[in-house]
Amino acid sequence: MMTTHEHRSHQHDRPHRHHYDEEMLSVEDARDRILSYFQSLDSVDVPLLDALGLTLAEDLIAEFDIPPMANSAMDGYAVKSADVASASKFNPVLLPVDGYIAAGDVPEKPLSNGSAVRIMTGAPVPEGADAVVPFEDTDEEERRGDGGQITEIGVNLNAEDGDNIRPAGEDIRAGETVVKRGVDITAGVIGVAASLGKTSIEAIRRPVIAIVSTGDELLEPGDERQPGKIYNSNAYSIAALVEKYGGISRVMGIARDSIESLESLLEEAVEYDMVVTSAGVSKGDYDVVKDVLSKNGEIALWSVRMRPAKPLAFGALNAPDGRKVPHLGLPGNPVSAMVAFEQFGRPAIRVMLGKAPLQKPTIRATLDDAVYNHDGRRVYARVDVYKDDVGNYRARSTGNQSSGALHSMALARGFAICPDDVSSVPAGSDIDVEILEWPDDDLLSDDAHH
Ligand code: AMP
Ligand code: MG
């Protein structure tokens, strides 16, 4: 999104450029390599209420007109327009009232010349009627005061052919393709499917993603605290991202830093569409993860030119049924794991769900705090994003940017992105921000919150 204040602060505070390490993979190259392992999954018949957000895998074709019959758009009187051509406030036309049609009724007989039928919104218009005069343009209210049945009505306005009548097929015609396969299933699409009488639709199924944590230091939340140990947070933050982006998460538990332990968890994990592991991919202790995964498939360890989340593993595991199951090996540091999942796991889910585009949307925002880039990697800085008094987006650091500091991640609404070859973006400059959470208030500034 372009903003009007884009060029404001660039003159004096030009970002400073330097060279980046070409040995490392760029985020884009890593993403391309990873995505080449994924394809859109098969489609299934999904009950309407479970289909929201999925990709439609069939054309929705109407078998009948909607509305199925001409019906009234107002509460009023169905008439022949010719009968009320001379009607006005001062010269009303009086017509005998010949019946009452409510929504859901079927008219018993055609409208005869020189008469009116009382009709409700959505009720079928009787044959012969070509207009509906709303109550407001009749003397209905005065007559209703009498309490008795209305046998005669005064029409105060000349109606024209078609007034306040919704013709059959006005919305959708029989045979028409209403929604094409490939689109996102929104509330509106679900409404259309229901109006076509469907209880389910063909949609690309959700990927099921196994999440395996590794590390001798990990306890599960709920376990009693122990010296030297920390709680396993990665499984839960990553499972939440899987669900947020449309997948189904299967949290498999903790593998210890041993071959047997990891192998036994992977046995079940390879039954799913994708395996995500965390930790064991940085220098020191990745050997177990690497050995187990290369023994049971193929794995590459990459350095990706990004901060956080430089170390990344990716490969494919052999499942007993012959499938090759993509494996994303996230770094162990809690923020690194989440940033890497946003950049690589999210687009993989989107490919499996049959969706594009793969990249997260960004906005331009003005920095309250500088973002530094020490070593030529793309920096994803955790920021809060808000709109200032004049409607410009601003981004402020949410605190400690260490890759283990999850606190600042919990407060972040976006990642401010310092390009690989820029050593710092000063406060007051504009920067691209990937929005993690776009709230319903359009990021309006909230003094209580800041
Ligand atoms: P590693 O990649 O195994 O060297 O782990 C890097 C850092 O991430 C270490 O400080 C680990 O304790 C931490 N870590 C690894 N796995 C998890 C996890 N599941 N939850 C929270 N922190 C973790
Ligand atoms: Mg470890």
Side-chain angles (χ1 to χ4, degrees), residues 44-272:
V44 289
D45 200 41
V46 181
L48 284 191
L49 285 181
D50 297 333
L52 186 65
L54 297 179
T55 303
L56 187 64
E58 63 173 327
D59 290 339
L60 293 183
I61 299 170
E63 285 174 15
F64 47 83
D65 282 346
I66 298 177
M69 69 285 159
N71 68 93
S72 179
M74 299 288 281
D75 296 331
Y77 287 86
V79 297
K80 292 174 188 276
S81 55
D83 289 341
V84 296
S86 65
S88 72
K89 182 114 195 138
F90 305 103
N91 193 13
V93 171
L94 278 180
L95 298 173
V97 175
D98 187 14
Y100 170 76
I101 309 172
D105 286 351
V106 177
E108 282 163 11
K109 53 181 193 242
L111 183 71
S112 37
N113 288 338
S115 65
V117 171
R118 200 162 176 271
I119 192 167
M120 299 295 111
T121 304
V125 172
E127 225 184 287
D130 65 2
V132 170
V133 181
F135 284 163
E136 303 84 283
D137 297 322
T138 69
D139 57 5
E140 155 92 14
E141 210 173 290
E142 297 137 49
R143 289 174 189 271
R144 201 190 290 166
D146 300 348
Q149 197 169 337
I150 298 173
T151 53
E152 195 181 45
I153 193 75
V155 173
N156 298 332
L157 199 73
N158 63 325
E160 283 179 26
D161 189 354
D163 279 359
N164 300 309
I165 291 180
R166 303 184 284 216
E170 179 188 54
D171 182 12
I172 292 167
R173 286 244 166 245
E176 183 182 344
T177 298
V178 193
V179 187
K180 285 217 163 80
R181 66 164 62 212
V183 307
D184 271 351
I185 297 172
T186 58
V189 172
I190 288 175
V192 161
S195 71
L196 296 174
K198 290 171 159 291
T199 57
S200 62
I201 38 183
E202 279 287 306
I204 296 178
R205 71 176 174 84
R206 295 178 191 281
V208 185
I209 298 177
I211 297 167
V212 174
S213 308
T214 72
D216 284 344
E217 74 277 36
L218 300 179
L219 297 172
E220 280 298 354
D223 289 351
E224 202 166 320
R225 286 173 55 204
Q226 287 177 38
K229 309 273 197 255
I230 59 167
Y231 286 118
N232 169 18
S233 62
N234 289 348
Y236 301 94
S237 56
I238 299 308
L241 290 176
V242 164
E243 304 278 336
K244 174 180 176 182
Y245 294 129
I248 297 168
S249 64
R250 291 276 182 271
V251 175
M252 317 260 31
I254 300 164
R256 297 307 167 192
D257 290 327
S258 79
I259 291 180
E260 307 76 58
S261 177
L262 184 54
E263 275 186 334
S264 86
L265 279 191
L266 287 177
E267 235 169 74
E268 183 187 337
V270 294
E271 290 173 17
Y272 302 115

Side-chain angles (χ1 to χ4, degrees), residues 287-327:
D287 284 347
V288 170
V289 174
K290 192 187 172 193
D291 291 349
V292 171
L293 298 174
S294 55
K295 189 172 136 205
N296 300 291
E298 44 171 294
I299 179 167
L301 277 176
W302 299 334
S303 272
V304 183
R305 208 161 54 227
M306 63 193 287
R307 176 191 293 276
K310 180 169 77 171
L312 187 77
F314 187 78
L317 291 160
N318 301 323
D321 62 3
R323 284 181 313 130
K324 291 209 175 287
V325 182
H327 162 240

